[in-house]
Structure formats: structure tokens, C-alpha cells
């Protein structure tokens, strides 16, 4: 039983680690290439601009169309949560993220069985997205985004 639980943790942590690498790496690549010139996000500029003016920190650029009428890449700095809701409440989202990460680990431990590998991968992906956004909020004072359906 202990060996199965160890494998479950390995699946969760491997997915989490790879997910964070892909999340942060894709953001880095997007901010290097999507606008035609690298875009550097400076924490002090973000804080000085305030939530309503973050768009001014991104140079105007055409979206990169991935799938016409379905998916494009456009650089955005998000000061809040989904679609910018809660702009300017960064520390609330930082605290919420820590709580969500703790809840995710609780779910893993209490609600999954050692061989529920699909659930372990799913939780790892969700948690890695949360960690990537937490990194952005702490480092840049906003979340870097680029995927727009």
C-alpha cells in the first residue's frame, strides 16, 4: 500500500513540476515572440501603472492566429482573476491561491486512491496552473497571459 501511495505522489509531483515548467516557459516564449519584439514586464512599472492601465505596458501588436475563429495568442497583463475580475486585489488572490493549493493537496490525500492516476495528473495540472499564476503575481504583480479563445 505504501508503495502505491508513493507512486501516486510521484505522479502528482511530476505532473506539477512539468506543468509549472510548461506554464512559465510558454509565458516566457509568448512574451519574447508574440508581439514581434520581446516584451519585458517590470514589477515597478506594473505597480505604478495600476490595474486600469496595464494594457499601456504591452506594445500594440496583431494577435498570432493559431486556429482561425477559435484560438489566438495576444499578450495581456491581468491584474485580477478570470477576465480581470477583482483587479487590484492581488494579495487576496495570493492568499486564495495558497488556500487552493492546500485544498488540492487535501483532495489528493483524502479523496483519491493510490491508483487514481488520471485524478493525480488532473490535480497536478490544476495546481501547476495555480503555482504559475502565483509566481507571476509575486514576481510581476500581475498575471501574464496570452491564450485567447
Amino acid at each position: 500500500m505504501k508503495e502505491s501511495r508513493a507512486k501516486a505522489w510521484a505522479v502528482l509531483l511530476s505532473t506539477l513540476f512539468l506543468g509549472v515548467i510548461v506554464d512559465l516557459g510558454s509565458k516566457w516564449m509568448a512574451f519574447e515572440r508574440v508581439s514581434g519584439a520581446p516584451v519585458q514586464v517590470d514589477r515597478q512599472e506594473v505597480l505604478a501603472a495600476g490595474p486600469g492601465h496595464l494594457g499601456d505596458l504591452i506594445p500594440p501588436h496583431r494577435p498570432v492566429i493559431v486556429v482561425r475563429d477559435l484560438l489566438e495568442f495576444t499578450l495581456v497583463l491581468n491584474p485580477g482573476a478570470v477576465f480581470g475580475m477583482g483587479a487590484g486585489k492581488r494579495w487576496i488572490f495570493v492568499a486564495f491561491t495558497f488556500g487552493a493549493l492546500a485544498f488540492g493537496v487535501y483532495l489528493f490525500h483524502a479523496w483519491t486512491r493510490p491508483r487514481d492516476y488520471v485524478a493525480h495528473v488532473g490535480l497536478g495540472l490544476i495546481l501547476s496552473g495555480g503555482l504559475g499564476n502565483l509566481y507571476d503575481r509575486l514576481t510581476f504583480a500581475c498575471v501574464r497571459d496570452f491564450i485567447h479563445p
Side-chain angles (χ1 to χ4, degrees):
M1 182 72 171
K2 286 184 180 184
E3 185 177 324
S4 294
R5 186 49 86 175
K7 186 173 180 184
W9 273 104
V11 169
L12 176 75
L13 294 175
S14 298
T15 304
L16 181 66
F17 179 74
L18 291 172
V20 168
I21 289 173
V22 169
D23 183 77
L24 296 178
S26 64
K27 289 176 183 180
W28 173 82
M29 187 178 295
F31 276 74
E32 283 290 309
R33 300 188 179 178
V34 166
S35 76
V39 175
Q40 300 298 319
V41 180
D42 180 82
R43 177 185 177 79
Q44 296 308 318
E45 289 179 2
V46 168
L47 291 171
H53 301 283
L54 292 184
D56 299 341
L57 302 177
I58 302 288
H61 62 284
R62 289 184 170 201
V64 173
I65 297 172
V66 179
V67 179
R68 187 170 308 286
D69 298 326
L70 184 62
L71 178 63
E72 63 186 31
F73 294 163
T74 304
L75 302 182
V76 175
L77 299 177
N78 187 344
V82 177
F83 306 117
M85 291 188 305
K89 309 286 189 221
R90 182 170 51 98
W91 290 109
I92 291 173
F93 293 117
V94 167
F96 177 81
T97 301
F98 277 113
L101 292 171
F103 183 65
V105 172
Y106 167 77
L107 286 177
F108 167 79
H109 181 70
W111 289 8
T112 67
R113 295 182 308 261
R115 294 191 178 170
D116 289 342
Y117 299 124
V118 173
H120 304 154
V121 168
L123 280 170
L125 291 172
I126 291 167
L127 295 175
S128 65
L131 280 175
N133 287 353
L134 178 63
Y135 172 85
D136 277 2
R137 284 192 177 98
L138 294 175
T139 303
F140 303 111
C142 63
V143 174
R144 300 169 295 161
D145 192 12
F146 67 95
I147 299 174
H148 295 272

